[in-house]
């Protein structure tokens, strides 16, 4: 009961804070200043999403099949080494990836896409691979006992069972992607980073906020949408989100 | 070299502060399921916010006290980002301590405080260290971005490399940051193994 009350207070407190922030923004003329950038914001959000969609989409299209291939028995001897490399790859900071891709491809949208693609690819491959490997052995045996071909087994048993983990990988990856896309501005890509970095450089706080707030909202929204998508896509029996723990 | 040191210093200060705040929070929320859900939810939302957006949001707030750019926003950002891995790992580790061990501790007459200090925390340390490791690796990357808000560090090379289109500085910066992250990852893995109590190694 107490916790519920606390939660309620917290909720109202948050609303009050947002309201006060709004009042402050209005009084200090911030809101007005920020609205001046409305056109830029809309344009940049669209460009930002394009960048994310292209690089993230490519990453999913490459990453998932790659993960599947690596998880096949035929490739098991290279898979472990490949995973080692991928693990090291994920520790490379995203700004470094973008910088390296710029030194490779120069300035513009394409190095930005390459950098984002590489940053996004790794978690997807890794989760696809581990997701497929952690499908319970007895399920696979049951499937082959029913006379399923390897292909049927992949589509009807392994992928549905691994989908939750795969989706988690895609979610992480896209969160990284949306968060890194602002940095793409530095190497000539078009994204919301334009407002943030320019705002910082010329010490124009309204401009900075006009970039930062949509970026933050975009990231939270994308994360939320993918969470909802996971909830819907992953079939009931194997979806941890839909299982009511008994307590 | 000086920049590498600066980079490391900033990350360690921030993650150090994060351990001091995160571990007690993680321990505290094991007592209350609802509080745990709430805290973990808030922390996971914070971690979703892109670092550069977080910097952007903090600058106006911190400029009120004249600290808009520089070390402070960078350290606060890293501090916030480190909360999720550290709190979550502390929480899960302590929740997963074998109930039989807890019973045994009570059986030999330990008070809850003693139990926490002598049983639960030592058992949880390896998992907490894993969280610290995640936090450090992630934040070496965040700190590189923090160069743009005047926090120095290795990002300086990348920044200069980009603005002067000088591939040498660009590659030095990028490679140095990456190496730093990879080395930190391995070093902390080693520390993590060191901290694992002897009795647990057998259990794997």
């Amino acid at each position: 009961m107490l916790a519920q009350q606390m939660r309620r207070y917290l909720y109202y407190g948050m609303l009050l804070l947002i309201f006060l922030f709004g009042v402050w923004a209005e009084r200090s003329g911030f809101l007005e200043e920020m609205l001046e950038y409305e056109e830029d914001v809309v344009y940049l959000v669209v460009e930002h999403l394009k960048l994310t969609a292209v690089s993230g989409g490519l990453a999913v299209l490459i990453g998932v099949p790659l993960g599947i291939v690596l998880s096949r028995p035929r490739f098991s001897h290279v898979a472990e080494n490949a995973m080692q490399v991928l693990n090291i790859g994920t520790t490379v900071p995203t700004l470094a990836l973008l910088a390296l891709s710029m030194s490779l491809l120069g300035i513009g949208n394409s190095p930005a896409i390459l950098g984002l693609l590489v940053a996004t690819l790794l978690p997807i491959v890794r989760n696809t691979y581990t997701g497929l490997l952690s499908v319970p052995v007895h399920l696979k045996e049951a499937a082959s006992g029913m006379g399923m071909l390897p292909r049927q087994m992949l589509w009807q048993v392994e992928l549905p069972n691994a989908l939750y983990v795969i989706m988690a990988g895609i979610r992480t990856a896209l969160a990284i992607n949306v968060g890194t896309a602002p940095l793409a501005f530095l190497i000539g890509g078009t994204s919301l980073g334009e407002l943030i970095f320019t705002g910082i450089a010329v010490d124009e706080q309204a401009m900075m906020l006009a970039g930062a707030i949509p970026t933050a909202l975009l990231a939270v929204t994308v994360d939320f949408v993918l969470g909802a998508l996971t909830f819907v896509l992953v079939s009931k029996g194997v979806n941890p989100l839909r299982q009511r723990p008994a307590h | 070299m000086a920049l590498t040191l600066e980079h490391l210093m900033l990350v360690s200060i921030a993650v150090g502060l994060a351990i001091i705040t995160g571990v007690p929070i993680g321990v505290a929320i094991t007592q209350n399921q609802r509080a745990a859900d709430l805290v973990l939810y808030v922390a996971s939302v914070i971690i979703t916010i892109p670092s550069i957006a977080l910097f952007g949001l903090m600058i106006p707030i911190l400029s009120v006290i004249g600290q808009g750019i520089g070390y402070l926003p960078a350290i606060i950002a890293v501090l916030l980002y480190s909360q999720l891995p550290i709190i979550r790992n502390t929480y899960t580790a302590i929740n997963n301590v074998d109930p039989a061990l807890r019973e045994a501790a009570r059986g030999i007459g330990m008070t809850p405080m003693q139990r926490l200090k002598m049983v639960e925390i030592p058992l949880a340390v390896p998992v907490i260290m894993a969280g610290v490791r995640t936090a450090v690796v992630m934040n070496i990357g965040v700190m590189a971005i923090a160069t743009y808000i005047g926090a120095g560090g290795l990002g300086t090379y990348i920044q200069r490399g980009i603005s002067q289109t000088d591939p040498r500085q660009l590659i030095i910066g990028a490679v140095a940051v990456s190496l730093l992250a990879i080395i930190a990852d391995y070093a902390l893995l080693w520390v993590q193994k060191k901290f694992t109590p002897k009795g647990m190694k057998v259990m794997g």
Side-chain angles (χ1 to χ4, degrees), chain B:
Chain B
M1 218 47 228
L3 287 176
T4 315
L5 271 183
E6 187 180 31
H7 204 106
L8 270 181
M9 281 288 286
L10 286 172
V11 173
S12 14
I13 293 174
V15 176
L17 287 174
I19 297 173
I20 297 173
T21 52
V23 173
I25 295 180
V27 172
I29 59 175
T30 52
Q31 299 303 316
N32 183 328
Q33 183 63 43
R34 277 177 177 279
D37 288 345
L38 188 70
V39 168
L40 290 177
Y41 180 71
V42 171
S44 68
V45 170
I46 289 178
I47 218 170
T48 333
I49 297 174
S51 49
I52 188 65
L54 195 61
F55 290 145
L57 293 175
M58 267 191 311
I59 290 176
I61 299 171
L62 291 176
S63 352
V64 177
I65 54 166
Q67 292 280 349
I69 56 171
Y71 296 128
L72 193 65
I75 288 185
I76 294 182
V78 171
L79 182 64
L80 287 176
Y81 283 135
S82 310
Q83 295 299 321
L84 180 68
I86 293 177
I87 293 181
R88 189 179 46 199
N89 280 29
T90 309
Y91 172 73
T92 14
I94 291 197
N95 256 358
N96 286 347
V97 167
D98 189 349
L101 293 177
R102 221 173 267 162
E103 281 292 303
R106 216 174 37 205
I108 61 170
M110 284 190 181
T111 62
M113 254 341 238
Q114 282 178 322
R115 198 174 63 192
L116 187 67
K117 253 202 317 232
M118 294 158 76
V119 179
E120 292 174 355
I121 290 196
L123 285 174
V125 159
V127 186
I128 297 176
M129 277 309 294
V132 171
R133 189 171 145 220
T134 319
V136 167
V137 170
M138 182 176 71
N139 286 316
I140 287 178
V142 172
M143 212 37 108
I145 301 166
T147 301
Y148 281 91
I149 55 163
L154 281 172
T156 312
Y157 285 123
I158 301 183
Q159 184 192 25
R160 263 193 254 146
I162 291 176
S163 59
Q164 304 169 358
T165 38
D166 177 358
R168 276 172 313 164
Q169 291 192 48
L170 195 66
I171 292 176
I172 289 179
V175 170
V177 173
S178 315
L179 277 182
L180 193 62
I182 294 169
I183 293 173
D185 193 30
Y186 276 100
L188 286 171
L189 184 66
W190 182 79
V191 173
Q192 189 182 330
K193 279 184 185 147
K194 271 270 155 178
F195 268 104
T196 311
K198 272 199 193 107
M200 278 178 73
K201 281 184 187 145
V202 192
M203 285 151 50

Side-chain angles (χ1 to χ4, degrees), chain A residues 73-186:
Chain A
R74 206 184 317 162
F75 290 96
S76 60
H77 57 286
V78 285
E80 277 308 308
N81 293 332
M83 279 301 127
Q84 285 274 320
V85 174
L86 288 182
N87 277 334
I88 293 176
T90 31
T91 54
V92 174
T94 45
L95 182 61
L97 279 179
L98 283 176
L100 289 175
S101 116
M102 172 186 167
S103 58
L104 212 67
L105 290 183
I107 291 179
N109 261 331
S110 35
I113 288 175
L114 178 72
L116 290 175
L117 173 68
V118 174
T120 331
L121 192 62
L122 304 174
I124 296 182
V125 178
R126 198 163 58 167
N127 272 43
T128 308
Y129 175 75
T130 43
L132 284 173
L133 278 200
S134 56
V135 171
V137 181
H138 61 89
L139 289 183
K140 287 192 233 172
E141 271 172 18
S144 66
M146 282 168 62
M148 279 192 182
L149 300 171
R151 173 180 293 271
Q152 284 176 314
M153 203 158 96
L154 176 67
W155 284 104
Q156 293 173 23
V157 179
E158 292 179 72
L159 279 181
N161 270 295
L163 194 58
Y164 183 75
V165 183
I166 298 177
M167 283 301 291
I170 294 178
R171 194 171 164 190
T172 321
L174 285 192
I176 297 175
N177 192 316
V178 174
T180 313
L183 302 179
F185 162 70
L186 298 173

